[in-house]
Amino acid sequence: MNALVFAALLVPAGLPGAATAQPGSGQSLPVLAQYTAPPQRAPPAPPPPTPSVAPPAAPTQAPNAQAPGTPTPNAPPPNARQAPASRSARQPAAQNPDDVPEVPPPFQANVSDPLLTPAPPAPQQLQSWNEALTLLRQRSTDLQAALGQIEVAAGTWRIALANLLPSVGGELSAQYNILNPNIPAVGGGVGGGVGGGVSGAEGFTPTQLLGIGVLTANVPVVDLANLYALGSAKESRRTASLSLAETRRQLTRGLAQALVSVSSNERLAEVNRVNLRTALERLALAQRRYELGAGTRLDVVRVEQDAQSARRNVVTGDENLRQAREALGLALGTPSPVGIKPGLDLNTFLEGANAACRTLESLENRPDIAAARSRQVVAERAIGEVKRQYAPTLDITSTTTGLTVNPGFAQVPIWNVGASLVLPFWDGGAREGLLRQARGQLEQARADVTNRERNIAVEVTQAKRAVQVTRATRELADRERKLAEENDRLTRRSFEVGTGTSLELVQSAGALRQAELELVLRDFQFRQALVDAFLSEAACDW
């Protein structure tokens, strides 16, 4: 028996690695041809054990015949071919231990929800800082009130000046004597001087319907109280001007903060919708697993609760955006909401705010501190003004009287010129009361200056430190968001392939949503801190 006959005997026994073709023919072995690699996620099953085959009895052979099992000169021994085939069947292809097993592609869900529609734009949208500043000048009630206060101070100064300038006044009256029409109706001291000797000497008599004209003039010569009040009124005008500068600074700060708030809430509304879309995709994934029998109803309920939470954030975020736009509208003096034109960077608005204001060299020159000190000066001068009311006043007066006469039209029989010295001996204690009021107002003004200086010093320090703190917290929030995003991606992927739980999926989704909101909030605080830090040491002269 030759090698071909021996191989034919091995095939029915199922010996792995047995060849069915002649050695060297180049054809594949049946066992290797039918071998398919197992899935990479599960280890391959071990091959069945090789059965033991008893060798047949050696028959009588001719001298030239070969013994059974003796290989032919050109063929290798059967055992030499069987060993490599058996090892190939037992051991799969070598793999890199660092390779990640392949998983099915991510689940793509097509979700839709009415809340995914972007928030509607505001009816009015700003395009530049100059546009916002123009609206602020035209419609701001605080600015109008500050300008009105300047007019009040200017009027007070003009009144104080008028008390030191000459005054001229006139009076016209008509009189008729009902009891005796033949006697002219001249009242007061005028009748004594006119009805008698005047008519006889001058040859005229007053008319029965007597017309009287009186012209008076008064020229203050010495009035220390009003002279000092003029200086106080001038300082009050300066106080009003400084208050206007402080109002402009506060309006600029409020406008910048309102712009930052609108920008942040718009960003927050977008993030809420992205989170809602992600939550709906998770819900669709959980429902798909439940339909395929790989998940439970509890998984669907958990993810659906997370989706409802995302919907609530969208609703509240849109309301916050509407309120922020309304606040910006009120800052600009309009009751309608105002937004920012899409595509505009907030930094362009903040750069406009920096251009509209200037940095102060000293904190003492800040408008509110300067205004408080100016009010203290006015209170100090009020005390001196009250004290000068104890001093006498000297005025020069002149009176001219004209009468209607018959015959003729009118005569001027009287022209008096005199001086009056007023000596304020006692007024019932009114000046003492005014003095006490002025002293009390001075103490209030001093306390206001001291308190304001302390608060502003702390405010500036905190504003500068807030920039560093908010920058650091924003960077940390950004890192936390990236970690939460990676955690959510991996958790979601684990849930897709069946190794993760719905609880882990919901927890990672909530952590990502919270990290997104925290990042927007920290960015809002950082931008607001930049505005506060700059305007805490600035003055706006627009």
Side-chain angles (χ1 to χ4, degrees), residues 21 30 112 460:
S112 62
V460 172

Side-chain angles (χ1 to χ4, degrees), residues 37-49:
Q40 297 186 9
R41 292 183 60 252

Side-chain angles (χ1 to χ4, degrees), residues 29-42:
L29 299 176
V31 176
L32 297 179
Q34 297 176 2
Y35 176 80
T36 57
Q40 297 186 9
R41 292 183 60 252

Side-chain angles (χ1 to χ4, degrees), residues 142-143 146-147 150 237-253 356-358 360 365-371 535 538-542:
D142 294 337
L143 184 61
L147 292 173
I150 288 183
R237 292 183 64 180
R238 180 174 176 270
T239 303
S241 299
L242 294 173
S243 299
L244 175 62
E246 173 61 16
T247 300
R248 286 172 175 165
R249 189 185 73 87
Q250 293 292 347
L251 290 176
T252 304
R253 179 174 178 268
C357 302
R358 54 183 175 84
L360 298 174
N365 297 330
R366 212 173 94 158
D368 51 349
I369 295 182
L535 293 178
C540 301
D541 302 327
W542 44 267

Side-chain angles (χ1 to χ4, degrees), residues 124 135 139 326 328-338:
Q124 183 177 0
L135 294 175
R139 301 177 180 179
E326 291 170 352
L328 178 58
L330 290 177
L332 296 175
T334 175
S336 60
V338 179

Side-chain angles (χ1 to χ4, degrees), residues 270-321:
E270 296 176 0
V271 170
N272 288 333
R273 280 170 171 79
V274 172
N275 291 336
L276 175 59
R277 179 176 294 277
T278 306
L280 294 177
E281 291 176 353
R282 296 190 189 96
L283 179 59
L285 175 62
Q287 292 175 346
R288 179 61 177 169
R289 287 192 59 189
Y290 176 68
E291 293 172 358
L292 295 177
T296 63
R297 179 60 182 168
L298 178 60
D299 297 336
V300 178
V301 172
R302 284 174 175 172
V303 181
E304 190 171 0
Q305 287 178 338
D306 182 70
Q308 294 299 328
S309 177
R311 287 191 178 96
R312 183 184 67 249
N313 289 342
V314 171
V315 174
T316 57
D318 289 350
E319 176 60 21
N320 293 334
L321 175 59

Side-chain angles (χ1 to χ4, degrees), residues 483-504:
L483 292 175
E485 183 179 9
E486 181 66 13
N487 180 33
D488 180 73
R489 185 185 67 82
L490 296 176
T491 305
R492 181 175 176 179
R493 201 72 182 99
S494 301
F495 185 76
E496 290 177 0
V497 300
T499 59
T501 64
S502 60
L503 181 60
E504 294 174 348

Side-chain angles (χ1 to χ4, degrees), residues 295-476:
T296 63
R297 179 60 182 168
L298 178 60
D299 297 336
V300 178
V301 172
R302 284 174 175 172
V303 181
E304 190 171 0
Q305 287 178 338
D306 182 70
Q308 294 299 328
S309 177
R311 287 191 178 96
R312 183 184 67 249
N313 289 342
V314 171
V315 174
T316 57
D318 289 350
E319 176 60 21
N320 293 334
L321 175 59
R322 287 190 289 267
Q323 292 181 2
R325 288 173 174 174
E326 291 170 352
L328 178 58
L330 290 177
L332 296 175
T334 175
S336 60
V338 179
I340 301 177
K341 185 178 179 180
L344 290 180
D345 189 7
L346 181 63
N347 292 330
T348 58
F349 288 92
L350 299 182
E351 290 175 358
N354 293 341
C357 302
R358 54 183 175 84
T359 304
L360 298 174
E361 297 179 357
S362 175
L363 193 60
E364 296 180 354
N365 297 330
R366 212 173 94 158
D368 51 349
I369 295 182
R373 290 183 175 179
S374 179
R375 284 190 290 269
Q376 179 180 348
V377 173
V378 173
E380 292 174 353
R381 293 186 63 87
I383 296 178
E385 182 180 346
V386 173
K387 290 181 177 180
R388 283 164 177 76
Q389 291 181 4
Y390 289 94
T393 60
L394 176 62
D395 297 336
I396 297 178
T397 59
S398 177
T399 304
T400 303
T401 305
L403 304 173
T404 57
V405 296
N406 187 15
F409 176 72
Q411 293 289 334
V412 182
I414 301 174
W415 184 5
N416 297 328
V417 177
S420 60
L421 179 63
V422 179
L423 301 176
F425 294 115
W426 174 249
D427 59 356
R431 285 170 295 187
E432 183 65 23
L434 293 176
L435 185 60
R436 296 183 64 179
Q437 287 181 354
R439 288 173 177 170
Q441 293 174 357
L442 176 60
E443 292 299 325
Q444 292 177 352
R446 288 175 177 172
D448 180 64
V449 170
T450 303
N451 183 61
R452 193 176 295 272
E453 288 177 348
R454 294 174 182 173
N455 293 338
I456 290 177
V458 176
E459 174 189 343
V460 172
T461 303
Q462 291 179 350
K464 293 180 179 179
R465 188 172 63 246
V467 175
Q468 302 175 358
V469 173
T470 54
R471 180 186 288 111
T473 55
R474 188 186 65 168
E475 293 175 356
L476 293 175

